[in-house]
Amino acid sequence: MLIETESTPNPATLKFLPGRTVMDAGTRDFATPEEAEASPLADALFGLGDVTGVFFGRDFVSVTAAPGVDWTGLKPDVLGVLLDHFSANMPLFRPGSAAGISVPGDDATFGDDPEDADIVAQIRELIDTRVRPAVANDGGDIVYRGFDKGKVYLQMQGACSGCPSSSATLKQGIEQLLRHYVPEVTEVRAV
């Protein structure tokens, strides 16, 4: 099995492509070892000790190294964990009972005004069709969190979370795109 590796705009994060589907639908971001306990793969990656973030996309896994960690030493260990996991066809998530299921909260979600439904629909469509595919190419994802008085609130995940160029991506890329197609948008903010 060959796992390709790509750099991302975030120097702390590498994107690993196992050549197969990782997530059938959606994405999953693990920011702590406690969150990673839901997945044998994420748990094993955090278990390496120098990992501070794991992100599952449709066909990739992004791994973020702790500050000051050199990828030269960490990359072979990550590749070993990924090879073991995918070669053995292990499940991505641990089975659980309904009592063990938890859905990450939308703490950073802003309530959309029903009068803005058409605007919100346009914003969501642009994010889903134009922004998310481009961000996925960089090993991350972007999640819509709300629209309020001209401001669009978005959450960066995976390689995009904590990336030095994420604020430029938001302001010079996403904000300009949204303002061009949706005149009601005045600003884009990360949450």
Side-chain angles (χ1 to χ4, degrees):
M1 171 177 205
L2 173 69
I3 297 179
E4 294 181 46
T5 306
E6 292 180 1
S7 59
T8 71
N10 184 347
T13 303
L14 284 180
K15 180 178 174 182
F16 297 87
L17 298 123
R20 62 174 62 178
T21 300
V22 175
M23 292 277 294
D24 290 323
T27 61
R28 181 68 190 266
D29 193 30
F30 301 94
T32 66
E34 293 76 25
E35 291 174 7
E37 291 173 2
S39 165
L41 177 56
D43 196 26
L45 290 167
F46 270 97
L48 295 173
D50 292 328
V51 172
T52 60
V54 175
F55 180 81
F56 297 154
R58 185 182 185 316
D59 61 352
F60 66 90
V61 176
S62 291
V63 178
T64 302
V69 171
D70 182 13
W71 269 108
T72 307
L74 182 58
K75 184 177 172 182
D77 294 338
V78 170
L79 283 168
V81 169
L82 293 171
L83 279 169
D84 290 347
H85 179 87
F86 288 111
S87 294
N89 291 318
M90 294 174 60
L92 196 58
F93 296 99
R94 288 190 168 88
S97 67
I101 295 173
S102 67
V103 177
D106 283 344
D107 299 344
T109 300
F110 297 82
D112 292 327
D113 187 335
E115 291 182 17
D116 293 332
D118 289 342
I119 296 167
V120 169
Q122 290 176 43
I123 293 167
R124 284 180 177 268
E125 164 117 12
L126 285 167
I127 290 169
D128 288 342
T129 60
R130 309 276 301 278
V131 177
R132 290 183 81 199
V135 172
N137 283 337
D138 287 338
D141 196 12
I142 192 159
V143 179
Y144 171 84
R145 290 296 184 207
F147 176 76
D148 184 42
K149 299 177 183 142
K151 295 177 184 74
V152 177
Y153 297 92
L154 302 173
Q155 179 183 6
M156 307 292 265
Q157 295 182 330
C160 299
S161 178
C163 175
S165 63
S166 66
S167 60
T169 299
L170 277 175
K171 291 296 180 186
Q172 295 167 0
I174 300 168
E175 185 175 291
Q176 286 183 357
L177 173 82
L178 292 178
R179 289 175 72 182
H180 176 77
Y181 288 103
V182 186
E184 294 84 357
V185 172
T186 60
E187 185 180 356
V188 173
R189 291 187 181 176
V191 292

